Short mmCIF file of all heavy atoms in Angstrom, two decimals:
data_model
loop_
_atom_site.label_atom_id
_atom_site.label_comp_id
_atom_site.label_asym_id
_atom_site.label_seq_id
_atom_site.Cartn_x
_atom_site.Cartn_y
_atom_site.Cartn_z
N ASN A 100 -14.91 13.12 11.65
CA ASN A 100 -15.29 14.09 12.63
C ASN A 100 -15.89 15.38 11.97
O ASN A 100 -15.26 15.90 11.05
CB ASN A 100 -14.06 14.47 13.39
CG ASN A 100 -13.39 13.31 14.06
OD1 ASN A 100 -13.95 12.67 14.88
ND2 ASN A 100 -12.18 13.01 13.66
N ALA A 101 -17.04 15.80 12.33
CA ALA A 101 -17.65 16.96 11.76
C ALA A 101 -18.74 17.45 12.72
O ALA A 101 -19.39 16.73 13.42
CB ALA A 101 -18.26 16.67 10.39
N VAL A 102 -19.02 18.76 12.65
CA VAL A 102 -20.15 19.40 13.31
C VAL A 102 -21.12 19.71 12.18
O VAL A 102 -20.76 20.42 11.16
CB VAL A 102 -19.84 20.62 14.07
CG1 VAL A 102 -21.04 21.42 14.57
CG2 VAL A 102 -18.85 20.31 15.21
N VAL A 103 -22.37 19.17 12.24
CA VAL A 103 -23.38 19.54 11.26
C VAL A 103 -24.44 20.42 11.90
O VAL A 103 -25.30 19.97 12.64
CB VAL A 103 -24.00 18.19 10.67
CG1 VAL A 103 -25.09 18.53 9.60
CG2 VAL A 103 -22.95 17.26 10.27
N GLU A 104 -24.30 21.77 11.59
CA GLU A 104 -25.35 22.72 12.20
C GLU A 104 -26.42 22.96 11.14
O GLU A 104 -26.18 23.35 10.08
CB GLU A 104 -24.63 24.00 12.52
CG GLU A 104 -25.47 25.02 13.27
CD GLU A 104 -24.71 26.16 13.65
OE1 GLU A 104 -23.76 26.06 14.56
OE2 GLU A 104 -24.96 27.31 13.22
N LEU A 105 -27.61 22.77 11.67
CA LEU A 105 -28.81 23.02 10.83
C LEU A 105 -29.85 23.82 11.60
O LEU A 105 -29.89 23.74 12.74
CB LEU A 105 -29.39 21.72 10.26
CG LEU A 105 -30.07 20.75 11.23
CD1 LEU A 105 -30.86 19.77 10.47
CD2 LEU A 105 -28.95 19.98 12.08
N ASP A 106 -30.63 24.63 10.76
CA ASP A 106 -31.61 25.53 11.46
C ASP A 106 -33.08 24.96 11.39
O ASP A 106 -34.09 25.67 11.33
CB ASP A 106 -31.51 26.90 10.89
CG ASP A 106 -31.92 27.02 9.38
OD1 ASP A 106 -32.23 25.97 8.79
OD2 ASP A 106 -31.92 28.19 8.90
N GLY A 107 -33.18 23.63 11.32
CA GLY A 107 -34.53 23.02 11.27
C GLY A 107 -34.42 21.62 11.73
O GLY A 107 -33.36 21.01 12.05
N PRO A 108 -35.57 20.89 11.75
CA PRO A 108 -35.63 19.52 12.41
C PRO A 108 -35.19 18.39 11.43
O PRO A 108 -35.11 17.25 11.94
CB PRO A 108 -37.09 19.44 12.70
CG PRO A 108 -37.76 20.17 11.59
CD PRO A 108 -36.87 21.34 11.36
N GLU A 109 -34.98 18.68 10.20
CA GLU A 109 -34.72 17.59 9.22
C GLU A 109 -33.63 17.92 8.22
O GLU A 109 -33.57 19.13 7.74
CB GLU A 109 -36.03 17.21 8.41
CG GLU A 109 -35.84 16.00 7.53
CD GLU A 109 -37.06 15.66 6.79
OE1 GLU A 109 -37.99 16.55 6.68
OE2 GLU A 109 -37.17 14.56 6.27
N MET A 110 -32.74 17.04 7.94
CA MET A 110 -31.72 17.25 6.89
C MET A 110 -32.35 17.49 5.52
O MET A 110 -33.42 16.71 5.16
CB MET A 110 -30.77 16.08 6.76
CG MET A 110 -29.72 16.07 7.90
SD MET A 110 -28.60 17.51 7.69
CE MET A 110 -27.85 17.26 6.22
N PRO A 111 -31.93 18.28 4.69
CA PRO A 111 -32.46 18.46 3.36
C PRO A 111 -32.34 17.17 2.59
O PRO A 111 -31.31 16.45 2.67
CB PRO A 111 -31.58 19.54 2.71
CG PRO A 111 -30.93 20.26 3.85
CD PRO A 111 -30.81 19.35 4.89
N ILE A 112 -33.28 16.83 1.73
CA ILE A 112 -33.29 15.63 1.00
C ILE A 112 -32.48 15.78 -0.31
O ILE A 112 -32.03 14.77 -0.89
CB ILE A 112 -34.76 15.17 0.67
CG1 ILE A 112 -34.75 13.73 0.06
CG2 ILE A 112 -35.45 16.19 -0.24
CD1 ILE A 112 -34.28 12.73 0.92
N MET A 113 -32.23 16.97 -0.66
CA MET A 113 -31.51 17.25 -2.00
C MET A 113 -32.18 16.55 -3.18
O MET A 113 -33.37 16.69 -3.36
CB MET A 113 -30.06 16.88 -1.87
CG MET A 113 -29.35 17.49 -0.49
SD MET A 113 -29.51 19.30 -0.37
CE MET A 113 -28.02 19.76 -1.34
#
Side-chain angles (χ1 to χ4, degrees):
N100 305 298
V102 174
V103 184
E104 184 174 295
L105 66 164
D106 65 356
E109 183 182 20
M110 282 295 300
I112 189 63
M113 311 303 276

